[in-house]
Amino acid sequence: MSYFLTDDQKQIQDTARRFAQKDVEPLAQQIDREERTPRSLVDKAAELGFFGLTIPEEYGGTDQGITTACVVLEEIAKASPAFAGLLSVEMILCPGVVNLLGNAEQKQRILPKSATGERLMAFSQTEPAGAGNTAVHQTKLVAHGNGYRLNGAKLFCTQGEGETYLVMARTSRDGQEGYGVVIVEKEQPGFSVDSYEDKLGWRGTNTGPISFTDIDVAPENVLGDLLTGNADFAPVNQVSFMGHAATSLGCAEGLFDKTLAYIKQRQLYGAPMHNLSPISFKMADCFNKIEACRSLLYNATRMADEKTMTLPMGSMCKAYVCETAFEVCNTLLQFWGGSGMMDSTGVNRYFRDARTKLIAEGATEMHTSGVAHLVLGLSQPMYEGRRTSLGG
Ligand SMILES: Cc1cc2nc3c(=O)[nH]c(=O)nc-3n(C[C@H](O)[C@H](O)[C@H](O)COP(=O)(O)OP(=O)(O)OC[C@H]3O[C@@H](n4cnc5c(N)ncnc54)[C@H](O)[C@@H]3O)c2cc1C
């Protein structure tokens, strides 16, 4: 895809592609096998400037927007969708929340270190009661001194090896219940990463449960208004969903490219396998589906960058692109026959990563139900007339 990218975006795309092929691809199988991403690879992505792409220049970034960030994620996902998933959290979600909710001092303290990769960030919302069921979340902030005291436990925190955590917690003030975001540094007493999960897909995202015991949260570590924090960063969620859609798109493309090469050289019944019309028709169908995803995604990112987004385009992309990318990967896996089942070929990794995307950062049904509410006129877009992009 290059037909509407600017020259700068094409240059970054080229850098990301070379990084993916030279540095990520050789490690992709190891990341999947060992369930860990080497910090050196994360650092290299930071050195290339990827972490600063959505951060304003005054806070150490290059403020190039969501389209550029998605182009980078798409390229990297062609080699390792799992690594791209981890990067999406660093490049879009975490800096986006700080940039949107933080005051100038907080942004100055956190964003430059995020832009250079000096401090990796993580976003922690999900609890055993369910990611979206926030009304019953148990992680609590209780007023203490001039700040708060944090207690609770979270599940499935991507980048459990992070250094700065954005933690969602319940609180109350003057009899009013609230739910907002606080900053917790991994060095704080009472913070603990308990273990790392062994997962079906997105292996290597260093995902695990974390817990907080009597952690003191100073007022300067509260992001925005604690009573409204959750709703306040809905616009960031929407662009973050686009980042995840970009990794699914790259995942489908990565497997498509490998499968195309395979069916041209694989001989079946005395001829290259692509001579079989069911195979070639299905390849054409996968190609169409990938193009449809690309059009939806980059139209959405363009709207986000231009701040003209009036529909929950991130949810629409996340649901449609991730489901379609999984269908594509499922179809392509079949062409590899028994080889597709073997971990050694690296093929089923794409299938597993694509499947994981139907749940991580909100199950498809959660996104679809938000869109359905809007379509049926049961709710208003939460972000209408508000910032939809990070520097907005
Ligand atoms: C690899 C991975 C990485 C993750 N990283 C993070 C992270 O960094 N930080 C973090 O906070 N969380 C993270 N999560 C958690 C993730 O966001 C949740 O798993 C996801 O949102 C689903 O929530 P749940 O697991 O609580 O499922 P539940 O909320 O229990 O939902 C179960 C099922 O119910 C259905 N459902 C849910 N909501 C609706 C609805 N509104 N309408 C209809 N059906 C519905 C869906 O089929 C869903 O799969 C991660 C998850 C995975 C798998």
Side-chain angles (χ1 to χ4, degrees):
M1 193 245 350
S2 64
Y3 42 91
F4 68 83
L5 297 183
T6 64
D7 287 345
D8 283 352
Q9 286 168 334
K10 283 181 196 161
Q11 210 177 338
I12 293 175
Q13 181 183 44
D14 197 46
T15 303
R17 188 171 294 153
R18 277 185 281 116
F19 170 64
Q21 289 169 355
K22 180 170 165 285
D23 297 296
V24 183
E25 181 87 45
L27 288 175
Q29 285 286 88
Q30 178 195 316
I31 291 170
D32 186 63
R33 194 172 52 247
E34 296 179 0
E35 246 309 0
R36 296 299 275 277
T37 298
R39 178 68 184 242
S40 56
L41 190 64
V42 180
D43 288 345
K44 201 150 204 171
E47 277 164 32
L48 289 170
F50 297 156
F51 289 8
L53 288 176
T54 65
I55 294 177
E57 289 178 22
E58 60 187 308
Y59 300 117
T62 49
D63 203 7
Q64 301 197 46
I66 296 302
T67 300
T68 307
C70 285
V71 164
V72 167
L73 291 169
E74 180 190 345
E75 289 304 322
I76 293 173
K78 289 179 189 173
S80 171
F83 180 50
L86 191 155
L87 290 184
S88 183
V89 174
E90 297 297 324
M91 288 167 54
I92 302 180
L93 179 61
C94 291
V97 171
V98 175
N99 193 43
L100 190 62
L101 298 184
N103 58 36
E105 182 280 320
Q106 290 167 328
K107 292 185 201 185
Q108 198 59 61
R109 177 159 42 103
I110 292 167
L111 293 178
K113 289 179 184 158
S114 165
T116 56
E118 184 186 335
R119 300 277 298 175
L120 297 180
M121 297 182 76
F123 181 86
S124 197
Q125 174 166 16
T126 303
E127 296 196 9
N133 197 10
T134 59
V136 295
H137 279 189
Q138 296 296 311
T139 298
K140 288 212 168 64
L141 284 162
V142 176
H144 182 78
N146 67 344
Y148 292 90
R149 195 150 255 195
L150 176 69
N151 278 287
K154 297 284 183 181
L155 288 181
F156 313 149
C157 183
T158 295
Q159 193 49 290
E161 284 174 346
E163 279 111 9
T164 298
Y165 290 75
L166 305 181
V167 179
M168 307 291 308
R170 302 213 66 78
T171 190
S172 59
R173 191 171 65 208
D174 304 329
Q176 204 185 339
E177 288 288 310
Y179 188 70
V181 197
V182 293
I183 301 161
V184 175
E185 305 290 355
K186 79 161 190 196
E187 297 83 3
Q188 286 188 253
F191 174 82
S192 157
V193 176
D194 302 324
S195 60
Y196 294 107
E197 297 285 352
D198 198 12
K199 311 188 290 300
L200 172 78
W202 255 35
R203 295 171 61 80
T205 47
N206 307 343
T207 304
I210 59 178
S211 61
F212 323 99
T213 310
D214 288 338
I215 295 190
D216 285 324
V217 178
E220 58 266 28
N221 282 333
V222 172
L223 278 177
D225 184 343
L226 273 183
L227 296 182
T228 57
N230 191 33
D232 262 0
F233 65 81
V236 179
N237 281 139
Q238 286 298 319
V239 289
S240 175
F241 299 150
M242 292 177 199
H244 286 284
T247 71
S248 273
L249 172 63
C251 178
E253 285 176 288
L255 187 54
F256 185 89
D257 292 346
K258 286 182 164 69
T259 306
L260 190 60
Y262 178 73
I263 63 171
K264 283 182 174 175
Q265 59 86 22
R266 169 81 169 159
Q267 299 286 311
L268 275 188
Y269 314 110
M273 188 178 163
H274 69 79
N275 281 10
L276 299 167
S277 52
I279 303 282
S280 59
F281 280 26
K282 282 185 181 170
M283 283 301 279
D285 189 44
C286 288
F287 187 77
N288 283 349
K289 284 178 172 157
I290 287 170
E291 278 304 308
C293 289
R294 195 197 312 282
S295 299
L296 174 64
L297 172 64
Y298 286 106
N299 188 42
T301 65
R302 182 183 54 78
M303 285 196 269
D305 284 336
E306 290 173 355
K307 303 177 191 4
T308 55
M309 195 168 76
T310 53
L311 288 169
M313 293 301 292
S315 277
M316 290 161 69
C317 288
K318 172 79 171 54
Y320 184 84
V321 175
C322 295
E323 288 285 341
T324 307
F326 176 64
E327 270 176 46
V328 166
C329 288
N330 193 21
T331 300
L332 297 174
L333 178 76
Q334 188 73 10
F335 300 166
W336 291 77
S339 304
M341 296 296 113
M342 306 303 154
D343 286 353
S344 55
T345 59
V347 169
N348 72 43
R349 176 165 59 79
Y350 288 87
F351 171 84
R352 289 185 281 106
D353 284 347
R355 182 65 184 84
T356 303
K357 269 300 172 58
L358 308 190
I359 291 178
E361 271 239 1
T364 300
E365 293 84 351
M366 189 206 83
H367 291 286
T368 309
S369 98
V371 176
H373 266 68
L374 201 66
V375 169
L376 297 172
L378 302 176
S379 66
Q380 293 293 316
M382 285 193 282
Y383 39 80
E384 200 162 32
R386 293 168 50 189
R387 292 180 287 189
T388 53
S389 187
L390 304 175

